[in-house]
Each structure stands twice: as structure tokens, then as C-alpha cells.
Amino acid sequence: MGGPVGFRAISVFLLLVLFSFMTAANFIPKEDRVASNFWPDDGLRLGLDLRGGIHWVVGVELEEAVTQELEFVRQSVEERLERKQVSLAGASVDGERLTLQLRSEDDRAAVIEAVDDTGVARGTGGSGLDLEYALTDDWITEVRERTMLQVLEVLRRRIDDPQRGIPDSVVTRQGDDRVLVQIPGEQIDRDRARNLLKSTGFLEFKIVEDSDVSEEALRRRYPDGIGDDRVILVEKDRQTETVVAAYLLPKVAAITGAYLEDARLEFDQTQAPIVGFRFNAAGGEIFGRLTETNIGRGLAVVLDNQVYSAPSIRGRITMQGQITGNYTSEEAADLAVILRAGSLSVPTTIEEERTVGPGLGQDSIESGARASIIGLVLVLFFAAGYYRLSGGYAAVALLANLVMLIGLMSFFEATLTLPGIAGLVLTVGMAIDANVIIFERIREELRGNKSVRAAIATGFQKATGAVLDANITTLITAIILYQYGTGPIKGFAVTLSVGIVTSVFAALLVTRLLFQLYPGERNVQSLSI
């Protein structure tokens, strides 16, 4: 054996050895694989339906996004009017409605022009000197869609963080205003995961103007009120949830988490967990000016409207800082993940939470394996009995197909789900179908009195189009399933897609190679088919 056929045979053999190695690694216990330098650490993963896990449906409060957008419109209109030296008697946002109060009828035309210039608001009525507006339908759709994409991306970064990511987790959109999150296995504590999903993660830094032991004590110092440009926020003991201090702070933050470049778990001099952060260049410049001009004053670190700490500024700080707060290591690490992923632009609520037990897990795997083996044996028996030697070739190609399928999925660390097992069994049937098409074409050529070599070549040539046509259409279906499906359905689509590729490879290349090895160039008078 030599030449191109020999080279192909050696190449296919080495490929099968590689995939056999990847397949065999799945049967080695995880601890042994990690401890060994020979076996790969990871392989085929089991999905939520086989391994169990936690399932959430997270609702996104998109109405809040519309309200925020109207706030932007209000600010934009006021800035435009200020340039025209026109002032409003008042402006307020209530839900999805913006109300502008004119000082006189003379201002009406200027205000209407300023609103029209934004291009995103439409008049909805009003009376007297009040004008009422709402966002246009197209802009509401744009705002909701943009917000959903932002929330989806932030949640995905939190769950699939590069340093503390959870393998095989699913974070995908469900409907217009929900996000589906699934975490297989017991990879994360339920409360920690819930905090990752619910925390808005809006970080602010504000200079402390005054403080006391409680909000009531602080408010007593200001009998005339604290003013619209200030707020009182409290710091709580993280263990007991009791208020330990209240702070008078400016309403607008001096700098926010939008300038953060990185955040990570660190330990202070007493080995207590803290969160270290680093600003980008622009943030460092702002933070430097802020700390330089407020040395000796308190700097409140505010996360989601709660003060986490308020240390005194001892000197100019630019790029780096710390957030302390009596954390455990896990709490500090989770907070770092939230800060790295960025803040959610709108609140979220957990609408559905349930634990999915691996009730079907091991039983399903064993049943699926049993069904695959029984189906495989029956198919091999039929193929060998009906097509004789050629059926044996089909059997070899089918086994090669299964090895390549599992090996390829293991190589890419794909997830095997319960529907994925169904896809595995389906692939067995599809793989033998391709060989049946080829063998029937060869039989037709032999009945036309062609030589064995010519019949084999022509049979493969004529069957290739039919095999590719059938498998490509199924592959397109699998791709669509993967694109729009979720969880186990995606698992089915992945198994089916990989199975189609390997079955076509096995039928058109492995089976063809076996025919090239025997009868090959030999001048035989008949073919066992």
C-alpha cells in the first residue's frame, strides 16, 4: 500500500486514534484526569437536565428604562431652552409621561421646538400652561431593545466571568423582557448566584458632608430639610443588617463605576478580604482631583444606594483604590465580579427560581447508552447480513463516526443534554442511511454490467450529491435550532450538527477508503454487496 491511498489511510487512522483518545478520557474519573499529565482535564460536559442545577427566569423592568430615557429628554430640553434663555416653571417625569410647565404663553413655541429637536418625543396633550409628552413608539421599542441587550450582556459577564466563571451555564434571552439563567450542578451557592443576578451594581463615590449614628439623628440637624441636591444614605452592618452610620451626601456622584477598568479580590494588612479597583485614565484624573481637593474629608463608597464604607481621604489617590466592608472572601470576590461586569441600567427581579434535580440524569445516560448500543448492534447486524463485506465496511464507518462524534464534542468541551442523547441515536440512523444510498448506487452500476472498479467509482460519484443534499438541509435545521433554541434544545442541535459532519465524513471518506484498500486496484470479478 502506497501513494495517495496509503497517505489517506494513515491520516484517517491517526485522526481516529486522536478522537478515540478524547472519547476514552470521558470514562476516566475527573479527579484522575486532573491529577494526570496524560489525560485532558476537561471533556464532554453534562447539561442541566442530566446533572441537575438551578434554573432562574429573571424579569427586566423595562418601564424603568423608558422613565430614564424621558429624564434624558427632560435634561436635553432644559439645556436647549437655556441656550435660548428660556426657563420652565417646572418639569417632571411620571412613569412614561413628561410634563413641562411653561412660565407664559410666549414660551410655548420655543418649548415645542426644543422638544421636537430631540426627535424622540411626541405631544400627548396637556392643559393651560402644561405640555405633556411621551416617547415615540419607535423610540420606546429602541430603548427596550437596547436595554435588554445591555442587561443580557452584563448578566452573561457576571455568570461567565473569566476568573470565576461557571462552566456550561446558560444565559439567554427569553421573550421580550426576561432572561433565562441556568447553572448546572452545584457549582455555586444559591444565595450567591441570586445576588449576582439581582445586584444592580451601580457604584458611586461621594464626598461626605455630614454624618451621625442614624438617619433620624442626622435629619434632626437640618430642621429646614436637606435640600433637593442632597441625599441621606446609611451604612449597615453586613452581618446584623443594623444601621451603623448615616451620611449626608450630594445627590450627584463625583465619579461612578463607569470609569472602572478592573476590580478584584485582595487582602488588607490584617488579611481581611477587600475589593481592590483600578480606574481607567479618565477616571484616574477625575478621582485624583476629587481626593486632592478633599483631603481629611470622608469619601463614601456607595453601591446600589447603600454606603459600603466611608474612609477619610489621607492624600491624593489616582488610579487605584479599595472598598472595605467586613466581607467574607466569597462576598468580596462576588462584588469584584459585579463591578468588573458593569452595572445594570435597570433593576431586575427573579420571577421564577427552581432547582432542577438530576432525576433523569444517570438513568437517562444509561438508558441512552443502552438504546444507542442496541440500535448500533441491530444496524451493524442488518448491514453485515444484507450487504455482506460492504456492510462490514459500513459498520466500520459507523463505529468511526461515533468515535469522531464523541471525540469532537469532547475536544470542544460541548455539553451533552438529554435531547442530545436523542440526537446521538438519530445520528446512528442517519450515518447508515448515507451508506445505503452509496451501496444502492453501486448495485445499480453493477446491474448495468460495469466493472467492479467502475461501479464503485460511479456509485460514490452519483451518491455524493444525494448524501450531501440530505445532510446539508438537516444541518441548516440544526443551526436554526441552535440559534433560536435554549438549554437542552441547543444541546440537541449541537449533537446533531456534529453528528452530521462526522457521518458525512465517515460515509464519503472512510467507507470510500475501505473500498480503495479492497478491492482497490485489484481486477476482481464480483463485489460482496
Side-chain angles (χ1 to χ4, degrees):
M1 183 176 65
V5 175
F7 177 74
R8 281 199 295 271
I10 293 172
S11 300
V12 171
F13 176 76
L14 293 176
L15 195 64
L16 290 177
V17 169
L18 172 63
F19 285 131
S20 299
F21 170 74
M22 298 299 299
T23 301
N26 294 294
F27 298 95
I28 307 296
K30 173 81 174 178
E31 297 76 16
D32 295 341
R33 292 205 308 265
V34 173
S36 170
N37 294 325
F38 180 73
W39 298 106
D41 291 349
D42 296 308
L44 198 58
R45 294 171 173 165
L46 300 181
L48 188 73
D49 50 355
L50 294 177
R51 194 168 18 156
I54 311 175
H55 165 107
W56 285 282
V57 175
V58 181
V60 182
E61 298 182 16
L62 294 178
E63 293 74 19
E64 178 64 23
V66 175
T67 301
Q68 291 177 6
E69 189 67 19
L70 277 175
E71 281 288 350
F72 291 139
V73 172
R74 179 185 65 80
Q75 294 173 14
S76 175
V77 169
E78 288 179 332
E79 289 173 0
R80 291 168 193 267
L81 291 175
E82 188 177 347
R83 289 196 290 271
K84 296 179 181 178
Q85 298 183 334
V86 175
S87 63
L88 294 168
S92 61
V93 175
D94 182 14
E96 297 186 359
R97 186 181 60 186
L98 167 65
T99 303
L100 303 176
Q101 297 172 316
L102 309 181
R103 291 190 180 279
S104 70
E105 279 294 336
D106 296 338
D107 297 335
R108 183 178 293 275
V111 172
I112 292 175
E113 183 182 356
V115 176
D116 290 343
D117 286 346
T118 64
V120 297
R122 58 183 170 83
T124 58
S127 60
L129 295 179
D130 289 351
L131 295 176
E132 291 184 357
Y133 288 91
L135 296 179
T136 62
D137 293 339
D138 288 344
W139 195 244
I140 289 177
T141 302
E142 166 70 20
V143 169
R144 292 170 67 92
E145 184 66 18
R146 182 178 358 117
T147 304
M148 274 302 296
L149 293 176
Q150 191 268 348
V151 170
L152 192 62
E153 181 60 25
V154 170
L155 291 182
R156 189 170 287 152
R157 287 203 299 263
R158 290 183 182 182
I159 298 298
D160 196 18
D161 181 74
Q163 296 179 24
R164 294 173 56 83
I166 305 168
D168 306 331
S169 56
V170 173
V171 181
T172 186
R173 185 170 180 171
Q174 188 175 60
D176 293 333
D177 57 356
R178 291 180 174 82
V179 177
L180 173 68
V181 180
Q182 293 181 327
I183 299 178
E186 299 176 353
Q187 303 182 71
I188 187 171
D189 177 74
R190 178 191 293 269
D191 292 336
R192 286 180 55 209
R194 189 186 294 119
N195 185 52
L196 284 175
L197 296 176
K198 288 187 65 178
S199 177
T200 305
F202 188 57
L203 180 67
E204 300 170 288
F205 297 88
K206 298 181 176 182
I207 296 297
V208 176
E209 297 184 3
D210 200 355
S211 65
D212 210 319
V213 294
S214 68
E215 182 174 350
E216 293 74 17
L218 188 56
R219 286 191 183 279
R220 280 198 292 271
R221 297 186 186 181
Y222 301 90
D224 296 332
I226 60 174
D228 294 336
D229 56 344
R230 294 172 174 176
V231 293
I232 293 179
L233 299 178
V234 299
E235 180 182 357
K236 294 181 179 179
D237 184 286
R238 298 185 59 77
Q239 306 301 323
T240 63
E241 286 293 308
T242 56
V243 174
V244 296
Y247 300 94
L248 180 66
L249 306 170
K251 194 168 187 178
V252 179
I255 182 172
T256 70
Y259 292 93
L260 284 185
E261 188 174 74
D262 191 20
R264 59 187 62 245
L265 167 66
E266 294 178 355
F267 296 90
D268 63 12
Q269 296 176 342
T270 63
Q271 294 305 304
I274 59 174
V275 178
F277 61 84
R278 187 175 69 245
F279 284 115
N280 57 24
E285 187 175 339
I286 297 173
F287 201 57
R289 286 199 302 269
L290 175 71
T291 52
E292 186 177 25
T293 56
N294 290 281
I295 293 175
R297 303 181 68 183
L299 177 66
V301 181
V302 183
L303 181 66
D304 294 343
N305 288 323
Q306 182 176 332
V307 178
Y308 271 57
S309 59
S312 295
I313 302 173
R314 297 176 182 173
R316 174 183 164 87
I317 309 170
T318 54
M319 302 296 285
Q320 297 183 339
Q322 298 173 343
I323 303 174
T324 59
N326 194 24
Y327 301 110
T328 65
S329 296
E330 287 186 344
E331 289 172 339
D334 286 347
L335 178 57
V337 169
I338 291 172
L339 296 179
R340 275 201 301 272
S343 60
L344 293 171
S345 56
V346 295
T348 59
T349 55
I350 294 179
E351 297 183 351
E352 181 184 339
E353 177 180 354
R354 58 189 168 91
T355 300
V356 180
L360 301 174
Q362 191 58 37
D363 290 344
S364 294
I365 295 174
E366 293 174 358
S367 298
R370 191 161 47 245
S372 299
I373 292 172
I374 293 174
L376 182 65
V377 170
L378 289 177
V379 167
L380 295 182
F381 179 77
F382 169 78
Y386 192 75
Y387 290 108
R388 293 171 290 179
L389 176 63
S390 299
Y393 288 171
V396 173
L398 186 56
L399 291 173
N401 174 38
L402 282 175
V403 168
M404 286 190 294
L405 170 58
I406 299 176
L408 202 57
M409 290 183 67
S410 304
F411 182 78
F412 288 109
E413 300 176 11
T415 301
L416 180 65
T417 62
L418 188 59
I421 294 178
L424 195 67
V425 178
L426 177 61
T427 301
V428 172
M430 293 181 63
I432 203 67
D433 274 352
N435 283 285
V436 169
I437 293 173
I438 295 169
F439 294 166
E440 290 302 320
R441 294 290 182 274
I442 294 176
R443 278 182 160 186
E444 286 178 5
E445 298 302 319
L446 289 174
R447 283 195 289 270
N449 293 325
K450 279 193 175 181
S451 68
V452 170
R453 288 171 54 189
I456 292 173
T458 308
F460 269 96
Q461 186 179 9
K462 288 185 176 179
T464 298
V467 171
L468 290 177
D469 181 58
N471 284 279
I472 287 174
T473 51
T474 308
L475 181 61
I476 292 173
T477 305
I479 292 173
I480 294 173
L481 270 179
Y482 182 83
Q483 182 67 28
Y484 295 102
T486 60
I489 302 301
K490 276 196 171 185
F492 173 77
V494 169
T495 307
L496 186 60
S497 302
V498 178
I500 289 170
V501 173
T502 55
S503 65
V504 169
F505 178 86
L508 296 183
L509 292 182
V510 176
T511 308
R512 179 78 171 117
L513 179 63
L514 293 172
F515 276 111
Q516 287 175 328
L517 294 176
Y518 185 85
E521 300 295 327
R522 298 174 184 83
N523 189 22
V524 296
Q525 299 301 313
S526 63
L527 180 65
S528 178
I529 189 169

